[in-house]
């Protein structure tokens, strides 16, 4: 009897997917395959954008933060902070999880 009920549930579920829920099921599968950093909201353990800006300002002492963006690079959540100082523009990438500077670029301002 239990086997018949299990078969009926699978059959009904399959029919529901074929009728109209297939797109939703595929989207759910695709979302599950993505990295948690790309789909999940900011976790409580992640550093805030204020902390990321503070880390960037400590790297470029006296610089002015002009832009902050939260991005995902190679499956990792990061903060990209743009800092300007003395005619130079710095792009500082800070891990949203650990607060570590993972990338630092300097270019001319303008």
């Amino acid at each position: 009897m239990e086997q018949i009920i299990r078969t009926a549930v699978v059959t009904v579920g399959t029919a529901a997917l074929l009728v109209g829920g297939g797109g939703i099921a595929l989207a759910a599968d695709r979302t599950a395959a993505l990295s948690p950093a790309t789909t999940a909201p900011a976790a409580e353990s992640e550093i805030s954008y204020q902390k990321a800006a503070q880390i960037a300002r400590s790297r470029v002492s006296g610089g002015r933060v002009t832009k902050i963006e939260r991005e995902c690079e190679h499956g990792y959540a990061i903060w990209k902070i743009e800092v300007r100082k003395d005619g130079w523009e710095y792009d500082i990438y800070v891990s949203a999880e650990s607060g570590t500077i993972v990338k630092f670029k300097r270019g001319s301002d303008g």
Side-chain angles (χ1 to χ4, degrees):
M1 182 67 162
E2 188 176 317
Q3 181 65 30
I4 294 171
I5 293 172
R6 191 175 303 141
T7 304
V9 169
V10 170
T11 304
V12 170
T14 303
L17 287 176
L18 293 174
V19 171
I24 295 170
L26 290 175
D29 284 346
R30 184 170 293 160
T31 301
L34 295 175
S35 165
T38 61
T39 59
E44 288 183 32
S45 63
E46 287 188 359
I47 64 166
S48 66
Y49 75 93
Q50 294 99 334
K51 180 67 175 170
Q54 180 184 19
I55 292 167
R57 280 193 303 269
S58 70
R59 179 68 165 86
V60 181
S61 183
R64 179 175 51 93
V65 174
T66 57
K67 190 174 187 180
I68 299 176
E69 296 177 326
R70 187 173 183 281
E71 297 180 353
C72 182
E73 286 200 6
H74 307 289
Y76 295 98
I78 57 128
W79 290 104
K80 178 183 175 189
I81 301 101
E82 185 178 287
V83 178
R84 295 177 188 254
K85 180 183 177 186
D86 298 333
W88 292 98
E89 178 179 291
Y90 302 86
D91 290 330
I92 303 165
Y93 297 78
V94 177
S95 167
E97 184 178 314
S98 67
T100 304
I101 295 175
V102 294
K103 191 173 178 183
F104 180 84
K105 295 186 342 184
R106 182 179 89 162
S108 62
D109 186 16

